[in-house]
Amino acid sequence: QAQMVESGGASVQAGESLRLTCVYTTEMYCMGWFRQGPGKEREGVAAIENDGTAIYAESVKGRFIISKDNAKKTLYLQMNSLKPEDTATYYCGDPRHCGAVPDSEYNDWGQGTQVTVSS
């Protein structure tokens, strides 16, 4: 079973940036981030395949960038121009499917890191 540890969450003002980090133990073909905000359904945010192909939810496209360092077994999510609606707990893991849109269903995920964006 893969293990992941997320970090980098914080409380910030709208318009600011954050970079989330996820250290994992097992290399997987596809890895990604999903989030769950208060009172909201889980949302797939971004995913990346081993060849570097990345996909994003429409809500974050153009603002977030997912990247991966295979040598360090680390997944990143650079979040720019943050909005209050980005407030959520962010989780990394391996999505059940890596297709045209980020999956919200995951096989394994970490404990999450909290991102709070105030206006």
Side-chain angles (χ1 to χ4, degrees):
Q1 184 176 0
Q3 293 185 334
M4 303 87 176
V5 178
E6 303 95 334
S7 62
S11 295
V12 297
Q13 297 287 319
E16 294 184 344
S17 299
L18 278 176
R19 188 176 80 157
L20 305 183
T21 298
C22 169
V23 179
Y24 54 88
T25 57
T26 303
E27 186 67 46
M28 287 163 282
Y29 174 71
C30 179
M31 294 195 69
W33 295 87
F34 69 90
R35 66 186 180 186
Q36 188 151 25
K40 296 183 179 180
E41 292 187 357
R42 182 187 291 191
E43 179 187 16
V45 174
I48 186 167
E49 298 178 4
N50 268 349
D51 65 359
T53 301
I55 55 174
Y56 299 92
E58 284 298 323
S59 58
V60 306
K61 199 173 288 185
R63 300 188 296 124
F64 289 12
I65 301 171
I66 188 171
S67 62
K68 193 163 165 252
D69 186 329
N70 293 331
K72 294 182 179 179
K73 290 189 176 177
T74 303
L75 182 72
Y76 303 98
L77 185 67
Q78 177 67 41
M79 306 188 296
N80 301 319
S81 302
L82 282 162
K83 304 175 180 180
E85 50 264 44
D86 295 319
T87 295
T89 302
Y90 285 73
Y91 302 85
C92 76
D94 61 319
R96 289 189 183 175
H97 303 97
C98 211
V101 295
D103 199 351
S104 60
E105 297 297 320
Y106 276 58
N107 297 311
D108 292 301
W109 58 93
Q111 83 292 345
T113 186
Q114 178 66 37
V115 172
T116 302
V117 184
S118 55
S119 56

